[in-house]
Amino acid sequence: MDWTFDPPGDVADFADPALWHTHMAAHADDMLWQLAAHALNKRISSLTAADLDRIGPELAYAHPLHEPIPPGAETIALKPWCGFPRFVDRHAPWPMPPIPGDLDGSLRIVEELGDHDYAPGHFVDEDGDPVDLPVRHRQNEYLEWATRRGADGRLSSITFVAEGYDYYAALFDADEKAVVDLYRRFTGVPNITADALRARKGIWRVAPTGERDLVVRPGGYNYRNALNIDPGIVHLSHHANSLAAQISVAGVSGLARVKVDGTLVSGVDEEELLCCNRGGDPNRNSDPKISQQAYTLTRKGYRYTLANPVGVYISGVDGQSITLPDGEPLPREWWTVVRGHDLWSDGQSRVLRLEIAPPRGETIGLEDLKVNGSALRFPGQVARLVGVHLFVTRWKRETPGIGPMARCLGTCCRADGARVLLRDEHGRCPPGTKIAFPGLVPDAIDAP
């Protein structure tokens, strides 16, 4: 059957849905070229159409526009991951005074804004003038949130989103008014204009070495715009929280990997696997779990593609852990699905935007609730209960096997006693760290 990339969550923002299809088809093309290059040990620039025709059908990841999906293919949800950042927990305790309910600082530090989601440096426009673009730089699990507070300063609502900023960038290129309308709706600011969302002079990241990387082309959509931070949240803002990143993590895992000695990387250790295939950040909850589950399909002789509509979704909420003052579970009426659908259908949820707030007529507020027995004071307490997932469509290979094998692309280093992993392409660990997973790449050595 013909395959069409539909918008995430089946939303209807594009007047011409074919424009989104074209955008996603380009990502699928990029993924196929990348995997083919790894499998054939070639540079992408040296690949030919014949190479793709030959190796494409052997890969576990299938390009849905190049290969028909078999009639018996099955669409499944991958196991969800926790929406609260593993990175934040791994770095705890944070250097801030302990307070009741947040002794290690994690629930406060996760709310801070900044630009550490990018490599060290600073942002400038095309004239070289500095641009300050802080975002939710520690909320990196394809889930971000924002709060509203009443006149008394108490929490009145928490909004969680799982919509990639690159979706909004593509929509802005197609229909600026559609993006403006969404901003007005979700922020409550009625006079927002397209120019307020545009990087008129572009944005570059300047490294300490002086090297410049383009972030947003001149006139393009500024996904780090201030209106997405305050007074509300429209979409994800962290640099790694893009649909493109999710596609890359799932896609790169569709190729079996081997260690230096030729043995297969088992994938049992999700962090080792991600250090090997360099598909994402091993210090996240999301990337290692996406990679591990996709790689399991590869090892078990499946072929797969990201299910249509491709997206990252809020999978559900651990409702039993949020209770009313009397200890009863929080009624579902406190939750509102704003974009997407099927929140309460097990393994089916394609929710993009979710809010928790007292229902109309309720006499108690959010801060009267308890999370795991503790008073609700920080939105991160609820974020720990929110799951995120994605979907794949899978089918068994026509002939037994797991497809071509490719060498590992990197490894990771770790300091003694530390939980944080440092990715390294060549296995040259910095002073004070050691190879976390020996044998993934040749000549991996510890620092003296």
Side-chain angles (χ1 to χ4, degrees):
M1 65 178 181
D2 293 336
W3 179 282
T4 299
F5 286 106
D6 296 319
D10 301 305
V11 294
D13 303 317
F14 278 84
D16 182 1
L19 296 176
W20 177 247
H21 169 80
T22 300
H23 177 82
M24 291 298 292
H27 282 306
D29 288 342
D30 289 344
M31 192 69 258
L32 180 60
W33 282 81
Q34 179 181 340
L35 286 173
H38 291 177
L40 298 173
N41 197 24
K42 287 186 173 183
R43 294 182 180 275
I44 290 179
S45 58
S46 67
L47 289 177
T48 65
D51 289 331
L52 294 181
D53 291 341
R54 176 167 60 89
I55 201 67
E58 298 180 22
L59 301 169
Y61 170 81
H63 191 313
L65 297 179
H66 291 189
E67 302 180 58
I69 307 303
E74 175 188 25
T75 294
I76 62 169
L78 297 186
K79 293 179 182 178
W81 59 88
C82 176
F84 190 89
R86 177 191 277 182
F87 168 87
V88 170
D89 285 334
R90 285 194 162 179
H91 279 270
W94 291 86
M96 50 179 52
I99 62 174
D102 188 29
L103 298 179
D104 66 4
S106 296
L107 295 173
R108 284 167 289 162
I109 204 73
V110 75
E111 302 292 333
E112 289 192 354
L113 304 178
D115 64 0
H116 291 171
D117 55 319
Y118 262 90
H122 63 281
F123 295 111
V124 300
D125 62 19
E126 65 182 352
D127 295 331
D129 294 329
V131 184
D132 188 26
L133 299 168
V135 299
R136 301 173 185 90
H137 66 157
R138 293 195 175 100
Q139 297 178 18
N140 68 344
E141 300 288 0
Y142 301 102
L143 182 77
E144 297 179 23
W145 56 90
T147 60
R148 291 187 185 273
R149 295 182 179 272
D152 58 359
R154 289 166 62 87
L155 290 172
S156 59
S157 70
I158 308 172
T159 300
F160 297 92
V161 301
E163 291 197 78
Y165 57 82
D166 41 349
Y167 172 79
Y168 279 79
L171 181 60
F172 191 81
D173 285 344
D175 186 349
E176 293 179 358
K177 182 179 182 302
V179 176
V180 169
D181 288 345
L182 288 168
Y183 264 80
R184 290 175 176 176
R185 175 186 174 192
F186 294 144
T187 66
V189 180
N191 59 349
I192 292 176
T193 65
D195 283 342
L197 308 177
R198 192 191 322 276
R200 188 171 62 86
K201 293 187 175 182
I203 302 170
W204 284 261
R205 184 68 167 180
V206 182
T209 59
E211 184 178 357
R212 291 162 52 115
D213 287 324
L214 181 66
V215 177
V216 179
R217 60 177 169 76
Y221 176 68
N222 175 16
Y223 75 90
R224 301 178 77 93
N225 73 82
L227 289 163
N228 185 46
I229 305 302
D230 183 26
I233 183 170
V234 178
H235 54 71
L236 301 172
S237 65
H238 189 289
H239 177 56
N241 287 341
S242 67
L243 262 181
Q246 172 241 314
I247 293 169
S248 177
V249 176
V252 77
S253 306
L255 187 59
R257 301 285 177 177
V258 293
K259 301 180 182 181
V260 175
D261 62 6
T263 59
L264 184 69
V265 175
S266 70
V268 172
D269 189 320
E270 62 183 27
E271 295 175 356
E272 178 188 47
L273 174 63
L274 207 65
C275 292
C276 163
N277 65 32
R278 293 182 62 81
D281 186 346
N283 297 297
R284 299 169 84 176
N285 289 315
S286 50
D287 291 353
K289 286 180 172 54
I290 294 171
S291 183
Q292 183 184 53
Q293 293 180 74
Y295 192 72
T296 297
L297 295 176
T298 300
R299 289 191 302 106
K300 290 186 175 181
Y302 282 97
R303 304 197 67 212
Y304 69 90
T305 194
L306 291 167
N308 191 45
V310 177
V312 179
Y313 302 103
I314 295 171
S315 64
V317 181
D318 177 8
Q320 296 299 310
S321 295
I322 308 179
T323 59
L324 298 170
D326 61 5
E328 288 296 309
L330 186 70
R332 290 182 178 179
E333 288 73 23
W334 284 67
W335 296 96
T336 300
V337 175
V338 181
R339 277 166 71 85
H341 51 83
D342 288 329
L343 176 66
W344 305 111
S345 300
D346 187 37
Q348 300 297 317
S349 176
R350 284 182 166 85
V351 171
L352 298 167
R353 186 181 184 91
L354 179 66
E355 294 180 358
I356 180 174
R360 186 182 299 273
E362 181 57 70
T363 58
I364 63 173
L366 285 180
E367 294 195 19
D368 296 308
L369 306 180
K370 292 185 176 180
V371 178
N372 290 317
S374 298
L376 174 53
R377 294 292 181 269
F378 306 96
Q381 292 172 268
V382 183
R384 290 189 183 279
L385 307 178
V386 178
V388 187
H389 69 178
L390 54 85
F391 295 82
V392 298
T393 298
R394 68 180 186 181
W395 61 96
K396 277 288 190 177
R397 289 179 177 271
E398 292 183 1
T399 57
I402 61 173
M405 299 184 185
R407 61 179 178 82
C408 287
L409 301 177
T411 187
C412 286
C413 310
R414 192 189 331 246
D416 286 341
R419 292 177 291 173
V420 178
L421 288 161
L422 306 173
R423 290 179 297 174
D424 186 89
E425 182 176 356
H426 304 292
R428 302 296 194 272
C429 287
T433 67
K434 295 182 178 180
I435 295 290
F437 305 108
L440 296 184
V441 294
D443 303 324
I445 58 173
D446 295 332

